[in-house]
Amino acid sequence: MFRRIVIAHDGSEGAAKALDAALELAQRHKATLQMISVEELPQFPTTIDEVVEEKAAANRHFDRLIARVQSRAKAARVRLEVHVVAGHAVPSIVEFVERQRADLLVVGFMGHSALYNRVIGSTTDRLVALAPCAVLVVK
């Protein structure tokens, strides 16, 4: 049923659970699995040093994340392609899914308060609304 699966992973607990589901589905359907992580830098940095520091911290975060995820994919015998892009999470993920012609986007659920979701909305809600393919939200 699924041939091209994309997992959106930000390093959160919800994304780790989503990875489990994505690996299982990729195994079951013999699908390709790609992971996208979005590096969001400060919108209004006060200095260049702040940007450099944020970029270095993001690189360390994603290097550790990629190593963990690649290890889990190898143990599950699933070939995984990893992509880290700079940008805003929702449009970057939607554009990536479109370019890859994915059949399924797998995302983790990060519970926020009802007030937060009403005022700001959630990344997951926006991905469900905007993704051009089926979306599996893993709790």
Side-chain angles (χ1 to χ4, degrees):
M1 182 172 167
F2 299 115
R3 294 288 165 231
R4 295 182 192 103
I5 300 172
V6 172
I7 169 77
H9 203 314
D10 60 0
S12 68
E13 184 180 322
K17 290 177 183 177
L19 177 64
D20 291 337
L23 288 169
E24 183 179 331
L25 286 167
Q27 277 181 324
R28 183 176 300 159
H29 294 277
K30 295 180 178 42
T32 61
L33 181 60
Q34 297 191 51
M35 181 180 93
I36 181 168
S37 294
V38 181
E39 178 181 10
E40 295 185 89
L41 297 175
Q43 289 184 332
F44 304 106
T46 55
T47 66
I48 294 296
D49 289 340
E50 182 182 350
V51 173
V52 170
E53 187 177 314
E54 289 285 328
K55 175 74 172 137
N59 287 346
R60 286 189 303 275
H61 168 76
F62 288 116
D63 287 346
R64 288 188 304 267
L65 173 64
I66 290 166
R68 283 193 316 267
V69 169
Q70 288 284 23
S71 175
R72 297 202 39 224
K74 185 176 179 180
R77 297 183 183 174
V78 172
R79 187 173 156 276
L80 176 69
E81 289 183 33
V82 177
H83 307 269
V84 178
V85 299
H88 298 289
V90 173
S92 296
I93 294 168
V94 169
E95 289 170 15
F96 182 81
V97 167
E98 288 172 345
R99 278 194 317 272
Q100 299 304 317
R101 296 185 178 145
D103 303 309
L104 178 66
L105 171 62
V106 182
V107 297
F109 178 78
M110 177 62 78
H112 291 290
S113 70
L115 177 62
Y116 177 93
N117 285 338
R118 263 185 263 139
V119 173
I120 297 174
S122 76
T123 299
T124 303
D125 289 341
R126 292 190 310 250
L127 287 171
V128 168
L130 298 173
C133 62
V135 179
L136 172 63
V137 179
V138 179
K139 283 180 109 175

